[in-house]
Amino acid sequence: MSLDEMAADWRGAADSVFDEVVTLRRAIHADPEIGLQCPRTSARIKAALAGLPLEFREGTSTTGFVAILRGGGIDRTGGNGRTVLLRGDMDALPMQEETGLDFASGVPGAMHACGHDSHTAMLVGAAKALCARRDVLPGTVVFMFQPGEEGHHGARFMIEDGLLADPAPDAAFALHISPNHASGVVTTRTGTVMASADTLHARIVGRGGHAAMPQGGLDPIPVACEIVTALQVYIGRQVSVSDPAVLSITKITAGTAHNVIPGEATLLGTLRTLSEATRVQCHAAFVRIVENIAAAHGAVGEAWIDTGYPVTVNDVRAAVLMRESAVEQLGEDGFEPMIHPIMGAEDFSYVLQAVPGAFAFIGAAPVGSDPATNPPLHNTRMTIDEAVMAKGVALHCAVATRFLERGFEAG
Ligand SMILES: [Zn+2]
Ligand SMILES: [Zn+2]
């Protein structure tokens, strides 16, 4: 089978593994695990991959692993030197499922509400389909099965464990389902595709006292309010509208009674940016504004930041390759350009800091539903059209083989 014939038949290859993909997805959905340790999910994936010509590597920080497939074919230059990484995340969220599905979560307080069950199942399907064509596969595929995406930095831990070092991928790709896009429609963009996400903390320390005689204390509440306002002025006046940021103070805590001035106030919030430069600028401004407005009133302001995920940035060439593969496999209607980045965050960003690649969404709105009003990701009633997983498998295979065959050269 030639490479062109192979590309033409990825949909057929995906259909032949579809039943197994659905079975695996449902098994994972019914038994969700949260965080960096997802041992039952890892065991299910390994069982599904048993007997395939794959090398397995794991680290010590998570139950994630990579499975390596070394193809025996040659690329356009007559070589076999490229390595491509495909990633599927496998962790669930701490929430109670309310879908009413036959295979709904059997674990109280845990739910696959972000579709990672389907991502893992699609990646297993792609591994099966690609292994079946191993002889003509013109390079190496690394399948990255990753826990701890939902805020636990799983991708970063796997990189720190050395799992992306040998073989080091030359390109990396990931798919994320979306119940708010028409089923089977792929969407992504060049450059920034998702935001950074950091948690902001501040404490304003004044002096408590009698509310009728505020001059006897040092009231931290108006200082905290002034800081919140100043932060919004900063975002509106010092951050470029063409490289925007969102800063939301979401929690203010102070006080115990109507007649008591509290000794301190605390602030909690989130910062989202679309570039590392703006992110760094906003970190410095947050600390500066908290410390100096507090100091201006004679109080003490302390600010600290829990660093979350970096900005997810698609390589221009990789995003083009993703689009071309989607059109090849799913038709012209199978791709929709993403106009604006999404202010959510994704830890595939760590992989894309190390390896050029692309992250894309694939629509999974259930049949007969309205994508605009479907329960979104992270909702207790989120469901997907499982049929989309066959398309996702085909797209994974097409993206991987297209890169192995020709690198980032178009056409
Ligand atoms: Zn999520
Ligand atoms: Zn997700």
Side-chain angles (χ1 to χ4, degrees):
M1 176 177 261
S2 75
L3 290 169
D4 285 344
E5 286 168 343
M6 203 158 69
D9 192 41
W10 283 130
R11 293 290 299 279
D15 286 344
S16 69
V17 298
F18 180 65
D19 288 349
E20 292 171 84
V21 169
V22 170
T23 301
L24 178 61
R25 183 252 162 172
R26 292 183 178 191
I28 294 173
H29 190 91
D31 189 18
E33 296 177 288
I34 295 165
L36 296 170
Q37 306 300 323
C38 301
R40 300 189 303 277
T41 309
S42 287
R44 279 198 174 88
I45 300 166
K46 285 178 183 163
L49 297 174
L52 295 173
L54 297 165
E55 297 163 36
F56 291 88
R57 301 236 172 99
E58 35 201 287
T60 53
S61 306
T62 80
T63 56
F65 61 94
V66 294
I68 301 158
L69 170 62
R70 298 183 196 275
I74 53 169
D75 61 28
R76 278 190 173 181
T77 64
N80 180 295
R82 294 192 186 93
T83 297
V84 64
L85 179 144
L86 302 173
R87 178 270 224 163
D89 39 11
M90 64 167 92
D91 59 318
L93 286 155
M95 52 196 286
Q96 187 63 40
E97 180 163 351
E98 295 180 307
T99 60
L101 291 168
D102 295 345
F103 52 92
S105 172
V107 180
M111 176 190 175
H112 270 290
C114 203
H116 299 184
D117 50 343
S118 66
H119 304 167
T120 291
M122 286 191 288
L123 196 59
V124 167
K128 285 176 180 279
L130 287 162
C131 283
R133 309 272 169 84
R134 181 192 186 191
D135 291 350
V136 287
L137 196 67
T140 300
V141 186
V142 175
F143 303 94
M144 179 183 184
F145 292 97
Q146 183 218 306
E149 193 288 319
E150 295 290 357
H152 306 278
H153 302 263
R156 195 190 78 208
F157 283 114
M158 288 184 70
I159 293 169
E160 288 171 357
D161 280 351
L163 295 176
L164 267 57
D166 180 26
D170 303 298
F173 297 92
L175 294 176
H176 202 299
I177 58 100
S178 166
N180 300 115
H181 288 84
S183 185
V185 175
V186 174
T187 184
T188 192
R189 68 197 305 279
T190 60
T192 299
V193 62
M194 294 185 84
S196 65
D198 300 313
T199 305
L200 307 175
H201 303 266
R203 181 159 67 221
I204 297 94
V205 181
R207 254 188 344 273
H210 199 296
M213 291 159 280
Q215 72 279 11
L218 204 171
D219 190 353
I221 288 181
V223 180
C225 294
E226 196 173 323
I227 287 170
V228 173
T229 306
L231 289 169
Q232 297 311 317
V233 172
Y234 172 80
I235 295 294
R237 301 285 80 196
Q238 295 290 316
V239 175
S240 166
V241 290
S242 56
D243 184 10
V246 174
L247 190 160
S248 295
I249 296 299
T250 53
K251 186 177 180 185
I252 302 179
T253 316
T256 55
H258 73 97
N259 54 358
V260 175
I261 290 175
E264 66 175 59
T266 61
L267 304 177
L268 180 69
T270 189
L271 172 70
R272 309 294 169 117
T273 72
L274 298 177
S275 75
E276 278 302 308
T278 296
R279 187 189 194 195
V280 169
Q281 175 193 328
C282 289
H283 283 189
F286 176 67
V287 174
R288 189 173 70 238
I289 287 167
V290 170
E291 289 181 351
N292 286 292
I293 288 183
H297 293 285
V300 174
E302 300 166 9
W304 66 103
I305 298 161
D306 284 337
T307 306
Y309 295 162
V311 180
T312 304
V313 183
N314 280 350
D315 182 272
V316 173
R317 302 160 302 168
V320 169
L321 189 149
M322 177 66 82
R323 170 171 56 75
E324 288 178 346
S325 302
V327 170
E328 172 192 272
Q329 294 297 318
L330 309 174
E332 287 291 341
D333 295 341
F335 184 83
E336 210 171 76
M338 184 191 290
I339 307 301
H340 300 295
I342 292 168
M343 296 312 283
E346 192 15 271
D347 84 343
F348 192 61
S349 50
Y350 290 117
V351 176
L352 294 182
Q353 283 184 330
V355 183
F359 178 87
F361 288 93
I362 182 164
V367 177
S369 70
D370 177 1
T373 56
N374 282 335
L377 297 173
H378 292 210
N379 183 289
T380 55
R381 298 180 196 278
M382 200 283 291
T383 60
I384 66 168
D385 174 18
E386 288 184 318
V388 80
M389 293 192 291
K391 294 179 178 178
V393 169
L395 183 57
H396 270 314
C397 295
V399 163
T401 48
R402 182 176 276 253
F403 179 77
L404 293 181
E405 185 190 349
R406 64 184 86 164
F408 284 128
E409 277 173 44

